[in-house]
Amino acid sequence: MNFYLKRISVLFILSLLFSIGSSAIETNIYTVNGNSLHLKGYTNEIQNPNKPYDDIKTDYFKPITHLNFTDKPVTRYYHLTLKKVQMSPDGFERTVWSVNGQHPGPLIQANKGDRLVINVTNNFDDPASVHWHGMFQHGTNWYDGVPGQTQCPIPNDISLVYNFSTTDQYGTYWYHSHFFAQYVDGLRGGLIVYDQDDPYLKQYDYEYVVVLSDWHHNTTGVLLPLSNVPGYAGFRPIPDSPLISGVGRYNCTAAPPGSKCNSNQPLPVYKVEKNKKYRFRIINSAADGAFVFSIDQHKLKVIELEGIYVKPTIIKKLPINVGQRYSVIVDANQPIGNYFIRGTLDKRCTPNNNATTNFNSAIDWNGLGILRYEGAENTKPNSKEFNDDFKPCRDLNKKHSLPLKPITKYDGHVSDFVNITIAFGRDSNQRLEALVNNVSFVPQMNDATVNKITRDFAPKDLPKEENSVIFNHNGGIAELYVWNNNTADHPFHMHGHSFAIMFVGEKGQLPNESKYDKRNPIVRDTVTIPGNGFLVIRFITDNPGIWAFHCHIEWHVELGMVMQLIELPNILKNETVPDDVISLCLENEFQKRKTLTPRRMFNSIIINEIRSDM
């Protein structure tokens, strides 16, 4: 399509979206009580609302130590600017949706109990949002960062300040966009909350944060429509490389003619001192890929699982699925030298056929880095990889995942029981869709669910396509019984909570309550459901809000594999959503104009027309 025809197409599509009242987002600057949304004062809990917000940078390949602990919680200010830049993460140059000009985005750090005040300025030319993955957002549901559920997207050239407390949480988290696969293009980074009472704090000297991700040379504005055409018979798009904290390698002989590409990309280096111990905080921020992390000749002592301290155990290799996080301690006790760090995309967990987008990718599935001892020469390692000691495409074995102290609060009367079936189907146009209880989730981007509930909209009247389940028992125990009625494995993540895993079963292994571990279950916020298998989890309904429960394979999210949990709406409706959050939304006749109802509020077929990918 030539430039002028494309421009006409864009204008026509945008005018159509506005005329039918869809979720297209206005891009003018909204005002609240006459004040610009940019850096205005927020609540009395902010100690110094005039404090400048620093544009922080992070070098993920330099060791760090925990923050200084304080007698009382403090407020920590961060400024994240979202902008597109040209980068070559694996040697191949493309546009990256960066945070403060880097990918992954800069590390956000706090201590347990601290308040985070994070000013996010959107200069993407696209709408955006930021979700703080694993943070419970007690009392601040509207800062969970999920368009259509807890906020409307942030328009271009607008700032939104996310203002929330870490309360009693600690551990390894991350942040990422929750807007149309945007994090796959680069909007993601680490978030660490330190604990003065961490039982392992004195067992290591330094820390590294490792952000694992799969990487595509095409933007998601190109990839999403390719897999959403009628009759598409492939699987999720095959990536072009694995990245370790934003660095990978690609064989440029396979790059399209005219591409800017460098095959001599250096491997990332993590420097260590002999006889020192290092905590590696490992985050899988991929769109799809299951990773395996290991360091040649160095075993890993597992100490943390998604904000939960676990009994220390020794492993050789760490399987980690999308959205999951672990902390391991590495003892630099080997002869001075260079050793491969392996962040391997597990090909066994990535389905492929010749109808799949990028099925013939030139990917090297072996993501590599170097553990280099102080005093070692600057040479390539010749170390040998450990043999596998885990079951492929599954979570870390239960014996390595048990809480350090038994967690018994999930043992009791179940107040809410929900049956869930996840499957795939075809819509009336033969486009693939993901189904949760026979419903493909469609967010209403121009009127977030939390806005509806807080203006006393009855939860039972929410649109069917918002796939809502209501929980009204304050402090109750909810049990979700999930049947995976398809062959794919699904890493499911819950917002607003950690949950206890009662049962995970392969095909044919039916849940049996007599075998549930209610006295010391694994507790986490992201768990893998085997293909055609079963999952039973429990969580405590004590956090009023709208919480997503979804597969964290981003391609499945875009197909609709999402449920929203409406928790304690009678309490939530009495809370006040901040004006600056409400003002992000369109302000007229939210659901009255129904001339046309697209499959998604942004039809993914035209995402590449609405988005500005260059």
Side-chain angles (χ1 to χ4, degrees):
M1 182 183 296
N2 70 35
F3 175 82
Y4 295 103
L5 288 176
K6 183 174 182 179
R7 177 65 65 184
I8 292 170
S9 174
V10 171
L11 291 174
F12 172 77
I13 291 166
L14 289 174
S15 64
L16 177 62
L17 285 173
F18 275 104
S19 69
I20 64 176
S22 81
S23 65
I25 304 299
E26 294 180 353
T27 57
N28 58 293
I29 294 180
Y30 296 95
T31 59
V32 181
N33 298 326
N35 296 320
S36 170
L37 291 179
H38 291 266
L39 296 180
K40 71 188 202 58
Y42 285 85
T43 73
N44 292 331
E45 294 170 320
I46 297 180
Q47 297 170 357
N48 181 3
N50 297 315
K51 178 181 173 67
Y53 293 75
D54 295 328
D55 282 313
I56 56 172
K57 298 284 187 181
T58 297
D59 185 344
Y60 279 87
F61 304 108
K62 288 186 177 180
I64 60 175
T65 57
H66 64 75
L67 298 174
N68 292 328
F69 295 111
T70 57
D71 293 336
K72 296 181 180 179
V74 301
T75 300
R76 301 185 185 273
Y77 297 80
Y78 290 93
H79 188 191
L80 304 182
T81 299
L82 314 182
K83 58 184 178 182
K84 296 175 187 174
V85 298
Q86 293 298 309
M87 298 179 69
S88 306
D90 61 358
F92 181 93
E93 184 177 292
R94 57 153 284 187
T95 304
V96 176
W97 274 244
S98 78
V99 185
N100 292 1
Q102 70 173 80
H103 170 253
L107 187 63
I108 293 175
Q109 300 174 82
N111 289 329
K112 181 174 67 175
D114 286 352
R115 176 166 293 276
L116 287 168
V117 179
I118 306 171
N119 179 50
V120 175
T121 300
N122 179 18
N123 295 146
F124 274 163
D125 291 329
D126 304 321
S129 76
V130 181
H131 166 58
W132 317 96
H133 182 112
M135 302 307 298
F136 295 159
Q137 298 291 350
H138 286 295
T140 51
N141 179 228
W142 39 85
Y143 292 135
D144 194 44
V146 185
Q149 294 189 29
T150 64
Q151 68 168 87
C152 293
I154 307 170
N156 186 51
D157 290 333
I158 293 293
S159 291
L160 176 65
V161 173
Y162 291 86
N163 172 13
F164 58 93
S165 173
T166 61
T167 60
D168 59 352
Q169 287 189 261
Y170 47 79
T172 306
Y173 305 94
W174 61 299
Y175 62 91
H176 61 85
S177 174
H178 232 291
F179 181 81
F180 282 108
Q182 203 169 57
Y183 88 75
V184 183
D185 290 314
L187 200 177
R188 50 190 160 198
L191 192 166
I192 308 302
V193 183
Y194 300 102
D195 177 16
Q196 190 168 6
D197 300 316
D198 184 341
Y200 298 107
L201 194 62
K202 295 182 180 180
Q203 295 189 22
Y204 57 90
D205 302 287
Y206 299 100
E207 299 188 15
Y208 279 111
V209 178
V210 180
V211 180
L212 303 172
S213 57
D214 45 17
W215 191 243
H216 297 263
H217 292 167
N218 279 318
T219 68
T220 55
V222 173
L223 294 173
L224 281 172
L226 290 175
S227 59
N228 201 25
V229 297
Y232 177 74
F235 297 100
R236 291 102 66 181
I238 301 299
D240 292 294
S241 61
L243 303 182
I244 298 178
S245 292
V247 179
R249 56 180 181 169
Y250 181 71
N251 181 359
C252 292
T253 60
S259 302
K260 293 182 179 180
C261 193
N262 176 16
S263 293
N264 297 318
Q265 185 90 335
L267 296 179
V269 175
Y270 294 82
K271 294 182 179 180
V272 296
E273 298 178 45
K274 186 172 175 60
N275 296 325
K276 297 290 186 180
K277 294 183 180 180
Y278 294 78
R279 178 176 185 160
F280 279 74
R281 296 179 183 266
I282 305 156
I283 302 164
N284 185 339
S285 71
D288 180 6
F291 272 87
V292 180
F293 179 87
S294 65
I295 304 176
D296 293 356
Q297 295 179 221
H298 293 74
K299 294 182 180 180
L300 313 174
K301 181 164 77 170
V302 184
I303 61 170
E304 181 225 344
L305 168 57
E306 294 162 22
I308 303 295
Y309 299 126
V310 296
K311 295 178 180 178
T313 57
I314 303 298
I315 61 174
K316 295 177 181 177
K317 289 186 170 184
L318 173 68
I320 178 170
N321 216 326
V322 182
Q324 297 181 338
R325 296 92 60 207
Y326 291 87
S327 283
V328 299
I329 293 177
V330 176
D331 189 350
N333 60 1
Q334 296 299 303
I336 291 175
N338 295 287
Y339 302 85
F340 277 126
I341 295 176
R342 302 179 188 272
T344 302
L345 265 176
D346 198 335
K347 186 178 180 180
R348 296 168 292 187
C349 312
T350 304
N352 195 5
N353 62 19
N354 60 10
T356 297
T357 301
N358 203 29
F359 73 92
N360 58 349
S361 170
I363 182 174
D364 182 348
W365 298 88
N366 300 302
L368 293 175
I370 299 174
L371 188 78
R372 175 165 293 153
Y373 278 69
E374 187 177 287
E377 294 182 2
N378 184 7
T379 58
K380 186 177 179 180
N382 58 6
S383 56
K384 302 299 182 183
E385 183 177 4
F386 285 123
N387 293 326
D388 285 1
D389 58 352
F390 61 92
K391 185 174 182 178
C393 313
R394 296 292 178 264
D395 292 340
L396 187 63
N397 189 283
K398 180 178 179 178
K399 67 182 179 181
H400 301 300
S401 308
L402 291 173
L404 183 61
K405 296 180 180 179
I407 302 175
T408 61
K409 64 181 179 180
Y410 303 99
D411 183 16
H413 171 71
V414 173
S415 57
D416 298 274
F417 180 85
V418 181
N419 269 308
I420 300 170
T421 300
I422 55 178
F424 291 101
R426 299 276 177 180
D427 67 9
S428 59
N429 293 313
Q430 292 303 301
R431 291 195 298 258
L432 185 66
E433 59 182 2
L435 303 170
V436 181
N437 287 350
N438 294 316
V439 176
S440 184
F441 181 77
V442 181
Q444 293 193 342
M445 293 287 191
N446 62 342
D447 190 19
T449 306
V450 70
N451 295 356
K452 295 186 182 78
I453 300 302
T454 54
R455 65 173 187 263
D456 211 14
F457 189 97
K460 65 180 180 62
D461 294 329
L462 290 168
K464 178 183 178 181
E465 64 269 18
E466 289 195 355
N467 213 347
S468 305
V469 177
I470 303 166
F471 300 92
N472 280 313
H473 294 95
N474 193 357
I477 298 176
E479 183 171 298
L480 305 185
Y481 181 110
V482 186
W483 175 35
N484 180 12
N485 187 23
N486 61 92
T487 58
D489 304 325
H490 298 284
F492 256 73
H493 171 58
M494 182 180 289
H495 293 212
H497 292 276
S498 290
F499 48 74
I501 300 173
M502 298 289 108
F503 177 85
V504 177
E506 303 287 340
K507 179 179 181 180
Q509 296 177 341
L510 298 177
N512 182 342
E513 186 172 358
S514 66
K515 296 182 180 179
Y516 292 178
D517 187 350
K518 302 175 185 178
R519 292 301 181 96
N520 191 27
I522 297 171
V523 176
R524 62 187 314 167
D525 60 43
T526 309
V527 62
T528 304
I529 313 175
N532 294 117
F534 293 86
L535 170 72
V536 180
I537 60 174
R538 290 183 178 182
F539 69 98
I540 309 299
T541 54
D542 58 358
N543 192 10
I546 312 301
W547 308 114
F549 182 56
H550 65 93
C551 177
H552 218 291
I553 293 174
E554 187 59 22
W555 314 113
H556 291 170
V557 171
E558 300 310 323
L559 290 174
M561 193 171 286
V562 181
M563 173 178 282
Q564 65 176 358
L565 312 179
I566 314 297
E567 188 170 348
L568 306 178
N570 291 333
I571 297 175
L572 180 63
K573 71 179 183 181
N574 295 319
E575 298 185 5
T576 302
V577 180
D579 287 345
D580 56 313
V581 177
I582 291 177
S583 68
L584 297 174
C585 303
L586 298 174
E587 296 179 348
N588 52 42
E589 298 180 340
F590 285 126
Q591 305 305 324
K592 293 181 180 178
R593 292 177 290 179
K594 297 184 178 179
T595 307
L596 176 65
T597 303
R599 179 172 180 264
R600 304 252 179 273
M601 299 309 284
F602 276 128
N603 188 329
S604 60
I605 290 293
I606 56 175
I607 284 177
N608 60 334
E609 298 286 356
I610 294 174
R611 289 175 33 146
S612 176
D613 281 3
M614 299 300 294

